[in-house]
Amino acid sequence: MRVLVTGGAGFIGSHLCERLVRKGHEVFCLDNFFTGRRENIRHLLDCRRFQLVRHDVCEPLLLEVEQIYNLACPASPVHYQYNPIKTVKSNVMGTLNMLVLARRVGARILQASTSEVYGEPMVHPQTESYWGNVNPIGPRSCYDEGKRVAETLMMDYHRQNGVDIRIARIFNTYGPRMAESDGRVVSNFIVQSLRDQPLTLYGDGSQTRSFCFVDDLVEGLVRLMQAEELHDPVNLGNPSEFSIRQLAEQIAACCGREPRITYRPLPQDDPTQRRPDITRARTLLSWEPTIALREGLERTVRYFAGRLHRSRHSRRSQPVVLAELPFAERRRAYREAGNWTDHDGL
Ligand code: NAD
Ligand code: UDP
């Protein structure tokens, strides 16, 4: 099959591209390289079934494909809050453009949605039937509401135009190829531990998340894409729930360190608890995660240890701490990376 993966040079996207190429598909990896990196897909560039397309999903695209995985959107709060208008555009205009493409060429399309559609959940664990509790005007809204509108667009294109859609509500996913400067909790804590720096715990660390290893997630995405007549959203995540403090302790232990903590303010609207109810995925996809947190963390620590060893002196490889980074400094970092211009927000 000819398969398009938007956001294909990012963390999850690169694993998905690799998996699809290995299964014998012809893969078009589309990315604007905001948070994605060429090195994530470098090993695929020589493969004749793999093509890299530098493109922004906010612009229309015509490509003859049979399947579209729409992942293009920064996922870390640090990055999606940097240029919130662009985040809304990537979710709304990007998903619209991909739906227009899917309709035109008759492709099946899978949207990478998120547990963030549940916001600060009043139902625990979160089932797909729960409508969520999202602040529409807060700093996370560009992402949460953007993803909610993207789901709306998906359903409306399905009902109105018969587009064959799939919606994956992805819960926190981690693993190799997260960037050191990604700013999410797993990469931050691992990089800080390996550098023998204190771990930056936001709030008191009692908030919970459920962490899924990337290989498990990719398996779930592929199964969902293959499933017939499954147009309702499906939670994909690992139902084992941990407090962020427990996570800090586990990561320090994996790195052979005593946990040293430095406290930072809890960011506004940071959800207090998250755990997926994966009954639907278990029943309809025969899917459930197989990699426990400890094993996944060990694999991820090995990856970062190798990377840090190679790039010890790189300034850009510092973990990004949301509460500490002045906006101007962040903008300079993006400019230096060369992938982001101010007009992207217009
Ligand atoms: P990531 O930031 O590593 O990857 C996102 C990719 O999209 C990057 O390669 C980036 O350059 C690209 N991108 C961003 N805006 C774009 C645009 N306008 N046009 C083209 N490309 C663009 O993040 P990830 O963790 O790999 O997340 C991938 C997808 O999965 C995202 O849609 C995210 O919302 C979703 N998701 C991820 C998680 C998680 O825990 N990792 C959880 C829920 C949902
Ligand atoms: N977090 C933290 N220290 C960090 C980064 C994040 O304590 O250096 C916390 C954050 O406040 C949140 C949890 O870890 O409660 C998960 O944050 P992440 O940014 O990884 O994902 P999300 O909030 O989107 O689930």
Side-chain angles (χ1 to χ4, degrees), residues 12 39 70 75 121 137 144 161 193 219 244 294 297 306:
I12 297 175
E39 89 184 73
N70 188 32
I137 54 168
D144 302 8
N161 296 322
S193 291
E219 176 66 30
I244 300 303
R294 181 72 193 211
L297 287 179

Side-chain angles (χ1 to χ4, degrees), residues 274-323:
R274 279 230 204 96
R275 172 153 61 103
D277 180 320
I278 59 164
T279 309
R280 192 175 281 180
R282 277 199 178 107
T283 315
L284 301 178
L285 308 177
S286 305
W287 176 87
E288 64 182 356
T290 58
I291 298 161
L293 184 63
R294 181 72 193 211
E295 185 193 340
L297 287 179
E298 280 168 3
R299 290 204 216 171
T300 313
V301 166
R302 276 199 295 279
Y303 166 80
F304 276 109
R307 269 195 73 82
L308 294 187
H309 182 73
R310 288 192 296 276
S311 67
R312 230 178 334 208
H313 305 296
S314 159
R315 211 178 122 253
R316 274 169 51 200
S317 67
Q318 294 293 330
V320 181
V321 178
L322 191 58

Side-chain angles (χ1 to χ4, degrees), residues 77 116 140 172 184-185 188 200 202 207 209 270 274:
E116 291 284 321
R140 295 174 83 100
N172 297 62
R184 279 176 281 185
V185 68
N188 269 12
T200 49
Y202 300 170
Q207 70 272 32
R209 294 292 187 274
D270 197 292
R274 279 230 204 96

